[in-house]
């Protein structure tokens, strides 16, 4: 506006002063290589003013054009943002329906114009993985990493989740180790670490994570206990595979007292030792465990021991009978041990006591065997008949 005002002032001045200077215009001479230009001062001024008008007009046209272009771009961009939002909403519905083809298509199209492009690309990657398209899966992951900037945690978590789904266990293990350095208490990171460590056999690493899982309440107490036992059993299996029963026993000796007093681990260890025909070590584990507490898992293993001197085990079992009462399982266990060592009368007494508390087909069969040894054929036949009738009744019910 100021420039236009100045030009108008100059024009008015020219109109007023022009006639006064009509006889005193002077002239301007311009020479170039090929041309000579001669004009009056007034003409030169008028040409200059006209040129200013032309330049102003061109400037106005340019601004007008740029303004129109910006509005057009804004309208196009706004339309794309709106469309991206609409497609994202549709993609979530398709995700609920399990239509991964449509999820991938809707999430990836106009993803750059969505409110959270990282989410779009990550969901598109998971949808592509569900379809089994490994190439597109990694394309979407790489694009998500580009648009995520410095916040790479969601991308890395999704990458590990996809690697586990594609059974790339050791790649997932590497990714999990890095994630635990970045976010050691993140619930999803811990969940993925649990899967990766179990599937890769990294049981010691999983055991070390259990206190953190407890603090963030990733599992309840029973689930954590089951996970701990699973990890320790995995370690014990590795020891057996690598160094046999001797390696397992050495590993057990190095464990803290709290671990060695875990009854579930004691029964698992004793079962392994029995399978390895290390009866003496297995008997010691079972006896030590039963001295601590009554446990049915250890009791079930006791009859599987093959030893010439059952006195130590019988002593512990009798102490348990005094302490906890003569349970059916205790009577049955004592009867099986007596049967193994040809103590037919003791076996008869224990099995009859067990059957008086509850009927069990195995105890009935063992009692019949003991009666046969005692030459009580009629009693043995009666017991077998009762066992058969009881089995038939159970089948009918």
């Amino acid at each position: 506006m100021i420039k236009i005002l100045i030009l108008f002032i100059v024009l008015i001045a020219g109109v007023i002063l022009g006639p006064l200077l009509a006889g005193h215009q002077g002239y301007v001479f311009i020479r170039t290589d090929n041309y000579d230009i001669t004009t009056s001062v007034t003409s030169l001024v008028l040409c200059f003013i006209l040129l200013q008008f032309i330049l102003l007009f061109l400037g106005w046209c340019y601004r007008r054009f740029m303004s129109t272009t910006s509005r057009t771009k804004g309208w196009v961009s706004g339309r794309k943002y709106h469309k991206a939002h609409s497609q994202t909403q549709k993609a979530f519905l398709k995700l609920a329906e399990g239509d991964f083809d449509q999820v991938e298509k809707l999430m990836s199209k106009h993803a750059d114009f969505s409110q959270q492009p990282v989410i779009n690309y990550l969901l598109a990657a998971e949808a592509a993985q569900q379809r089994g398209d490994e190439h597109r899966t990694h394309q979407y992951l790489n694009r998500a990493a580009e648009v995520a900037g410095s916040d790479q945690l969601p991308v890395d978590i999704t990458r590990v989740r996809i690697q586990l789904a594609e059974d790339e266990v050791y790649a997932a293990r590497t990714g999990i180790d890095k994630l635990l350095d970045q976010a050691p208490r993140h619930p999803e990171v811990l969940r993925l670490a649990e899967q990766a460590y179990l599937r890769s056999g990294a049981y010691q690493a999983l055991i070390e994570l259990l206190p953190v899982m407890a603090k963030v309440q990733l599992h309840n107490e029973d689930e954590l206990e089951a996970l701990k036992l699973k990890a320790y059993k995995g370690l014990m299996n590795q020891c057996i595979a690598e160094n046999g029963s001797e390696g397992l026993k050495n590993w057990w000796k190095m464990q803290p007292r709290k671990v060695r007093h875990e009854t579930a681990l004691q029964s698992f260890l004793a079962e392994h030792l029995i399978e390895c025909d290390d009866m003496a070590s297995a008997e010691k584990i079972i006896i030590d465990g039963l001295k601590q507490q009554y446990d049915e898992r250890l009791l079930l293993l006791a009859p599987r021991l093959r030893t010439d001197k059952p006195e130590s085990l019988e002593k512990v079992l009798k102490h348990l009978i005094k302490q906890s009462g003569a349970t059916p399982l205790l009577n049955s266990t004592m009867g099986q041990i007596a049967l193994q060592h040809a103590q037919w009368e003791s076996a008869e007494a224990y099995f009859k006591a067990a059957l008086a508390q509850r009927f069990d087909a195995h105890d009935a069969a063992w009692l019949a065997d003991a009666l046969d040894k005692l030459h009580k054929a009629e009693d043995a036949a009666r017991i077998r008949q009762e066992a058969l009738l009881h089995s038939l009744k159970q089948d009918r019910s």
Side-chain angles (χ1 to χ4, degrees), residues 189-242:
V189 172
L190 291 172
R191 268 189 285 269
L192 293 172
E194 177 185 332
Q195 295 179 45
Y197 288 157
L198 280 174
R199 290 169 63 177
S200 65
Y203 299 111
Q204 186 59 48
L206 178 57
I207 290 168
E208 292 170 4
L209 272 186
L210 291 175
V212 182
M213 291 181 177
K215 285 181 181 179
V216 301
Q217 298 180 343
L218 190 67
H219 298 294
N220 59 40
E221 290 184 9
D222 292 339
E223 290 170 340
L224 279 173
E225 185 66 21
L227 185 59
K228 181 176 74 172
L229 292 177
K230 192 173 184 179
Y232 273 111
K233 286 178 179 179
L235 275 178
M236 294 165 80
N237 283 328
Q238 286 179 348
C239 288
I240 283 281
E242 293 171 4

Side-chain angles (χ1 to χ4, degrees), residues 283-356:
E283 183 182 34
K284 185 177 186 309
I285 294 294
I286 291 172
I287 289 173
D288 290 345
L290 290 174
K291 283 180 179 179
Q292 295 168 19
Q293 62 178 326
Y294 173 92
D295 188 85
E296 292 189 353
R297 289 166 294 190
L298 292 172
L299 282 175
L300 289 170
L301 292 173
R304 294 174 58 183
L305 293 170
R306 297 289 180 267
T307 175
D308 296 331
K309 297 180 179 179
E311 292 80 9
S312 299
L313 181 59
E314 288 178 340
K315 182 179 179 182
V316 173
L317 294 176
K318 287 176 181 178
H319 178 71
L320 283 176
I321 290 174
K322 291 179 181 179
Q323 192 176 47
S324 305
T327 65
L329 183 57
L330 268 173
N331 279 322
S332 176
T333 302
M334 291 291 289
Q336 292 175 64
I337 293 172
L339 197 65
Q340 289 171 10
H341 294 87
Q343 299 170 2
W344 314 123
E345 293 179 353
S346 296
E348 177 189 7
Y350 283 123
F351 285 128
K352 282 184 176 179
L355 289 169

